[in-house]
Amino acid sequence: MTDTQMKIFHILAFVWYAFVILSMAAKDGEPLPPGIFMYGGPWKYLTFLNLVLQMVFFGLAAACDFQSSLGKGMAKQRNLCKDLLFSVFAFPVGMFVVLLFWVIFTYDRELVYPVSMDDFFPPWMNHAMHTLVLPFLLGEILIQPHKYPKTKNGLAALGIVGIAYLSWVVWIYLAVGIWVYPLLGLFSTPGIAGLFFCNMTIVTLLYLLGQTLNEQVWGYRAVNSTSSSGKRKTRVAD
């Protein structure tokens, strides 16, 4: 893929996520379907947080594509932020949202996306939130190498964010007495702790999957010698 095609990909991805988020915001004021409550707004849902995360990442990636006028120091810092955002958060969290949603949806959709939601969110929006995230992430793996941090550091950062989100979900339950996800109501306190541990294990595996795919596509040396300008390196054979 040429640099021009890469720029187009990043811009289109950013515009797409911005469009989806604005489409969701346009529903503000409409009667909420059963299962959705006001407290915390959309910021309590991992799906929405992931959409914002993906939009920010692709916006940053697009900015990095046009940073030739910046000094080398600033360009390097921006690329480091881009790689960190993708490797530690955008890829594992995005993949987790897609995987977990469709697994639970297939088992019992009422636990994650009740039928009443179909009248509020059209089918295209459901797939925008829970399906199209996957091809965008895989496309990013294929068009550009990303430098990963040390595995222990990346997983530590991911774990901190995971604990922060769980704390937010528990806070909402304590505040209004309703679980953000009906599935959580089926578990005892130890069960919720076990579920969180399982989810973090899955996210960890997805982080390692992204790291492995990145190295398999681009080669270990190419990945670890990504230029500070953010340009793609030619793949180096293992």
Side-chain angles (χ1 to χ4, degrees), residues 23 82 85 122 224:
S23 297
K82 178 194 68 176
L85 192 60
N224 287 277

Side-chain angles (χ1 to χ4, degrees), residues 132-224:
L132 294 180
V133 175
L134 176 62
F136 276 120
L137 289 174
L138 294 180
E140 180 63 23
I141 286 282
L142 294 174
I143 68 170
Q144 189 176 50
H146 293 278
K147 188 172 183 179
Y148 273 62
K150 291 183 179 180
T151 301
K152 64 178 182 180
N153 294 339
L155 293 179
L158 192 57
I160 290 172
V161 171
I163 292 173
Y165 180 68
L166 176 64
S167 300
W168 172 227
V169 170
V170 172
W171 172 270
I172 292 173
Y173 174 74
L174 295 176
V176 298
I178 304 174
W179 285 110
V180 173
Y181 304 103
L183 174 66
L184 297 177
L186 302 178
F187 292 88
S188 62
T189 299
I192 291 175
L195 180 64
F196 173 73
F197 177 79
C198 290
N199 287 342
M200 286 307 302
T201 300
I202 294 172
V203 173
T204 297
L205 293 175
L206 291 172
Y207 173 91
L208 297 175
L209 173 64
Q211 188 178 50
T212 300
L213 290 175
N214 191 49
E215 292 180 357
Q216 288 297 316
V217 170
W218 296 101
Y220 179 81
R221 281 178 291 169
V223 167
N224 287 277

Side-chain angles (χ1 to χ4, degrees), residues 82-94:
K82 178 194 68 176
D83 287 342
L84 179 66
L85 192 60
F86 178 79
S87 61
V88 180
F89 302 115
F91 185 86
V93 173

Side-chain angles (χ1 to χ4, degrees), residues 35-172:
I36 297 182
F37 53 97
M38 291 294 297
Y39 191 89
W43 301 97
K44 59 181 173 287
Y45 296 109
L46 186 59
T47 293
F48 180 78
L49 294 174
N50 178 59
L51 290 175
V52 174
L53 171 63
Q54 301 299 326
M55 183 186 70
V56 170
F57 165 72
F58 282 107
L60 179 58
C64 288
D65 293 339
F66 293 93
Q67 65 183 3
S68 58
S69 60
L70 297 177
K72 288 186 177 180
M74 185 177 295
K76 182 178 181 180
Q77 291 301 316
R78 184 175 288 182
N79 276 289
L80 286 175
C81 290
K82 178 194 68 176
D83 287 342
L84 179 66
L85 192 60
F86 178 79
S87 61
V88 180
F89 302 115
F91 185 86
V93 173
M95 293 291 286
F96 177 78
V97 167
V98 173
L99 176 64
L100 195 66
F101 175 83
W102 287 112
V103 167
I104 299 176
F105 186 95
T106 302
Y107 174 72
D108 183 357
R109 67 170 297 175
E110 294 298 318
L111 296 175
V112 66
Y113 197 84
V115 175
S116 60
M117 299 282 282
D118 290 341
D119 295 327
F120 190 73
F121 292 122
W124 74 264
M125 192 173 290
N126 180 24
H127 286 290
M129 295 185 291
H130 301 115
T131 305
L132 294 180
V133 175
L134 176 62
F136 276 120
L137 289 174
L138 294 180
E140 180 63 23
I141 286 282
L142 294 174
I143 68 170
Q144 189 176 50
H146 293 278
K147 188 172 183 179
Y148 273 62
K150 291 183 179 180
T151 301
K152 64 178 182 180
N153 294 339
L155 293 179
L158 192 57
I160 290 172
V161 171
I163 292 173
Y165 180 68
L166 176 64
S167 300
W168 172 227
V169 170
V170 172
W171 172 270
I172 292 173

